[in-house]
Amino acid sequence: MEDRAETTEGECVGLEYQVTREDMRQALRARAKASGRVRRMRQVALTGAAVFVGASVVPLAKGEVPGAQPLVIAGVLVLLFVVQPWLTARQFHKIASRHGAYHVEVDDFGVAVSNAGGSSRLNWTAAPYYAETPDTFVLLSGDKDLSCLTVLPKRGVRGPEGVDGVRTLLDRHIRRL
């Protein structure tokens, strides 16, 4: 049996935090995994590697020296696969950090987020899924690409039972991916 802090109907769990680049990295990784993007990226990487190997092996089989172009293209592809997630997390963090501290309330009606840039309220139908990472809860939209996300860092929870309280509310209202 799982140890969890039980929340009661009408309970509200508050969070206060500033978004970090690591929060964004974990959130984007969770979104990519949940949307199938990781699988598609691996397929593209394997296809690219196969093309590179083929472009290099064919000239070698003929006794020729392979050209530099396949090597350069493969290097650029590898660089993009390595650097792209880091750059995306950096851009998301830059946008989110402009708004300063975030104040969030999670309750039976949804999630209310406010910061220096404004405030918004998401009901549970706007974010019907969530993923949990070691340091965050990531609320995800219901569209095919999971295009919208809300990051709730666990360190921002007020109170010792807060993380379990957030998890209980999320499990009660939306589906974990």
Side-chain angles (χ1 to χ4, degrees), residues 31-138:
R31 181 183 77 170
K33 185 178 178 183
S35 70
R37 186 168 178 250
V38 169
R39 187 181 70 253
R40 289 191 299 271
M41 293 293 276
R42 283 187 187 137
Q43 289 172 344
V44 168
L46 288 173
T47 302
V51 168
F52 167 70
V53 168
S56 298
V57 169
V58 170
L60 285 173
K62 294 179 180 177
E64 301 169 1
V65 176
Q69 188 176 10
L71 183 59
V72 170
I73 291 170
V76 169
L77 287 174
V78 167
L79 188 62
L80 285 175
F81 282 112
V82 170
V83 174
Q84 185 268 340
W86 178 81
L87 285 174
T88 303
R90 184 173 179 261
Q91 289 173 315
F92 271 69
H93 173 256
K94 193 174 185 180
I95 292 166
S97 64
R98 286 185 197 146
H99 301 297
Y102 283 73
H103 305 281
V104 177
E105 300 291 331
V106 181
D107 58 28
D108 283 315
F109 301 103
V111 179
V113 179
S114 63
N115 57 39
S119 64
S120 64
R121 177 125 185 112
L122 293 169
N123 62 26
W124 295 120
T125 58
Y129 307 107
Y130 85 96
E132 185 173 354
T133 71
D135 302 319
T136 64
F137 293 104
V138 184

